[in-house]
């Protein structure tokens, strides 16, 4: 069959490929520990579930504005002003079913054929996909392990041209867990203003930071509010991956265009899930704080254990729920070692190359799993690695 050029480069996310292989092994009776999927292992809080059920019982199951209901957008705007240091209103907010539409649609609105887009490598695979679908030119920018996986700023500056339309940021990062420090954000902002390009800042993990660290938003820096799109959502912070509820914060004129994209594609986000979102944002937050503390304990457990494995060294991630250990000393490629660990140890994890060519020499492990399972996974991995 012949397909349009825009889909020729699309490929599945590596996490789903590994998950399928792991499930096939489970079907054969193998016990597999899943550290491959980036999904909270905690359940959605009961008060959020109850809010959605109440909304359904009230008949809030109909069409609603493509950009989302006003009450939710006003709450998001108010919290963005308070927590991120912004000055936005409801008409700067676009609600979407999951965060990905607010990655794709602003890119489609801004990027045309031949426009260049800088994005992190290693990075979330959707970034390259959305650039290609828009007809743009993907320009990967290295993240440096010795900078806690922030950008190589000299390389970033050298890659900027008159054709650069957009810079994609992700902080905290998937897959590295790195947080872009404020001084790096300031330098990127300076370059974006000088080259008159947009910034898309994926902040889906912004609440998941550790050791008292916060992830600064580049949108709050001088001159950046009018050229930045913030993408966030409820999946990671509120354990609502299957609810499909996300949002974007952007200049009003762009929000209007993204709203039109939503109108002619998705229509609108489910009515009752937005009331669940209202409850998530305005209801008790202590359970989120407890979850973050538990993630930090798991992070510390996993990183300590990884650093005791032969041929492995691992920086302590500052956010999200991923570790990104360096395995170059093992003498194997990322894919070879990931396959070996799955087949021999029964531990599903991802090769760094699932996130770009600069991921070679690394693995990604999600610590959205119990401490008990993390300990068992480390023990199994140790047995395999010591036999190499």
């Amino acid at each position: 069959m012949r397909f349009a050029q825009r889909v020729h480069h699309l490929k599945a996310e590596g996490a789903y490929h590994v998950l399928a292989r792991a499930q096939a092994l489970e079907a054969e009776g193998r016990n597999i520990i899943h550290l491959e999927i980036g999904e909270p292992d905690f359940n959605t809080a009961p008060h959020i579930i109850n809010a959605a059920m109440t909304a359904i019982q009230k008949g809030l199951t109909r069409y609603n504005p493509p950009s989302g209901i006003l009450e939710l957008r006003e709450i998001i705007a108010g919290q963005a002003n308070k927590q991120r240091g912004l000055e936005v209103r409801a008409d700067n907010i676009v609600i979407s079913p999951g965060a990905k539409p607010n990655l794709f649609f602003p890119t489609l609105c801004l990027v045309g054929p031949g426009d260049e887009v800088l994005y992190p490598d290693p990075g979330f695979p959707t970034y390259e996909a959305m650039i290609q679908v828009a007809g743009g030119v993907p320009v990967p920018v290295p993240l440096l392990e010795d900078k806690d996986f922030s950008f190589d700023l000299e390389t970033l500056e050298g890659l900027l041209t008159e054709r650069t339309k957009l810079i994609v940021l992700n902080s905290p990062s998937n897959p590295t867990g790195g947080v872009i420090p404020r001084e790096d954000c300031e330098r990127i902002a300076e370059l974006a203003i000088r080259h008159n390009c947009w910034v898309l800042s994926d902040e889906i993990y912004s609440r998941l930071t550790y050791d008292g660290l916060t992830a600064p938003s580049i949108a709050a820096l001088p001159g950046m509010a009018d050229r930045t799109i913030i993408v966030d959502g409820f999946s990671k912070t509120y354990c609502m991956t299957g609810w499909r509820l996300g949002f974007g914060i952007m200049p009003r004129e762009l929000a209007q265009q993204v709203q039109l994209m939503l109108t002619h594609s998705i229509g609108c986000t489910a009515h009752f899930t937005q009331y669940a979102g209202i409850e998530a944002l305005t209801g008790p937050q202590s359970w989120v704080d407890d979850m973050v503390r538990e993630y930090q304990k798991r992070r510390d457990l996993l990183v300590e254990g990884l650093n005791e494995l032969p041929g492995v060294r691992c920086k302590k991630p500052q956010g999200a729920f991923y570790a990104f250990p360096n395995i170059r000393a093992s003498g194997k490629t990322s894919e070879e070692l990931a396959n070996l660990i799955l087949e021999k140890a029964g531990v599903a994890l991802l090769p760094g190359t699932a996130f770009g060519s600069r991921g070679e020499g690394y693995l990604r492990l999600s610590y959205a799993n119990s401490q008990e399972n993390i300990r068992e996974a480390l023990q199994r991995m140790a047995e395999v690695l010591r036999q190499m």
Side-chain angles (χ1 to χ4, degrees):
M1 298 179 67
R2 298 182 64 182
F3 298 102
Q5 183 67 32
R6 70 178 60 88
V7 300
H8 280 185
H9 301 289
L10 293 180
K11 52 189 176 183
E13 283 188 36
Y16 294 109
H17 173 71
V18 174
L19 175 62
R21 290 187 56 215
Q23 289 175 334
L25 291 173
E26 286 176 318
E28 296 173 1
R30 294 279 305 278
N31 175 267
I32 304 297
I33 298 176
H34 291 274
L35 304 182
E36 80 279 32
I37 295 297
E39 179 173 41
D41 61 314
F42 300 96
N43 293 325
T44 309
H47 64 279
I48 298 174
I49 296 172
N50 290 337
M53 293 173 63
T54 299
I56 291 171
Q57 291 165 349
K58 288 181 177 179
L60 299 175
T61 58
R62 301 179 179 274
Y63 292 135
N64 63 92
S67 59
I69 61 175
L70 179 61
E71 183 180 359
L72 177 57
R73 290 188 289 121
E74 287 179 335
I75 291 169
I76 290 171
Q79 293 203 356
N81 294 339
K82 181 179 179 181
Q83 296 172 1
R84 288 183 164 102
L86 306 179
E87 294 182 7
V88 297
R89 305 183 346 174
D91 57 4
N92 297 110
I93 312 299
V94 179
I95 307 300
S96 57
K100 283 183 178 178
N102 269 306
L103 291 172
F104 255 88
F105 289 162
T107 303
L108 291 172
C109 288
L110 296 173
V111 176
D115 289 337
E116 296 177 352
V117 181
L118 277 58
Y119 69 101
D121 185 4
F124 186 42
T126 293
Y127 304 146
E128 184 177 7
M130 71 193 189
I131 297 163
Q132 291 172 330
V133 170
V137 179
V139 181
V141 183
L143 302 181
L144 299 180
E145 182 179 359
D146 60 5
K147 286 192 63 177
D148 292 318
F149 293 108
S150 187
F151 279 112
D152 181 340
L153 292 177
E154 290 186 6
T155 299
L156 186 149
E157 181 173 3
L159 291 171
L160 286 163
T161 73
E162 70 278 359
R163 295 183 299 278
T164 304
K165 182 59 69 75
L166 179 67
I167 302 171
V168 179
L169 310 181
N170 179 209
S171 178
S173 161
N174 175 16
T176 70
V179 171
I180 301 175
R182 182 178 177 85
E183 57 268 26
D184 285 9
C185 288
E186 291 171 346
R187 180 62 176 148
I188 295 166
E190 176 190 332
L191 293 170
I193 293 169
R194 184 196 307 170
H195 289 266
N196 192 30
C197 59
W198 288 79
V199 171
L200 190 155
S201 183
D202 182 351
E203 302 180 9
I204 191 73
Y205 297 99
S206 62
R207 287 281 299 276
L208 305 182
T209 56
Y210 311 111
D211 304 315
L213 184 72
T214 58
S217 178
I218 195 170
L221 296 178
M224 292 305 295
D226 292 335
R227 64 176 68 247
T228 301
I229 306 108
I230 294 174
V231 180
D232 203 343
F234 295 76
S235 293
K236 313 302 182 182
T237 300
Y238 296 105
C239 309
M240 296 173 67
T241 52
W243 294 72
R244 309 317 300 142
L245 186 61
F247 60 89
I249 306 173
M250 62 196 77
R252 182 173 59 85
E253 293 80 2
L254 177 58
Q256 291 170 345
Q257 295 301 312
V258 172
Q259 175 183 325
L260 290 173
M261 298 285 286
L262 285 162
T263 299
H264 296 295
S265 57
I266 294 161
C268 62
T269 304
H271 206 176
F272 53 89
T273 64
Q274 296 183 65
Y275 284 92
I278 290 171
E279 178 62 26
L281 293 174
T282 61
Q285 301 296 304
S286 59
W287 72 280
V288 177
D289 298 331
D290 291 342
M291 180 180 67
V292 172
R293 281 190 287 269
E294 174 61 21
Y295 280 144
Q296 181 166 328
K297 292 177 183 177
R298 297 175 181 183
R299 177 204 64 172
D300 293 345
L301 174 65
L302 179 60
V303 170
E304 181 180 357
L306 288 170
N307 281 316
E308 293 176 354
L309 298 178
V312 179
R313 72 168 191 265
C314 186
K315 299 276 285 190
K316 185 174 285 189
Q318 301 162 314
F321 40 60
Y322 308 111
F324 202 62
N326 185 319
I327 52 89
R328 291 184 179 129
S330 71
K332 293 190 176 293
T333 68
S334 296
E335 190 164 357
E336 287 171 344
L337 191 56
N339 289 339
L340 180 68
I341 290 171
L342 176 58
E343 297 293 337
K344 300 295 185 182
V347 177
L349 42 76
L350 298 183
T353 46
F355 302 92
S357 62
R358 298 281 301 194
E360 182 56 79
Y362 297 88
L363 301 175
R364 193 202 76 171
L365 296 81
S366 168
Y367 47 90
N369 207 322
S370 68
Q371 293 188 46
E372 179 183 4
N373 282 341
I374 290 170
R375 288 190 182 93
E376 175 65 20
L378 288 166
Q379 182 176 334
R380 294 185 189 183
M381 291 171 63
E383 293 172 0
V384 171
L385 292 174
R386 286 169 185 152
Q387 293 173 7
M388 284 173 45

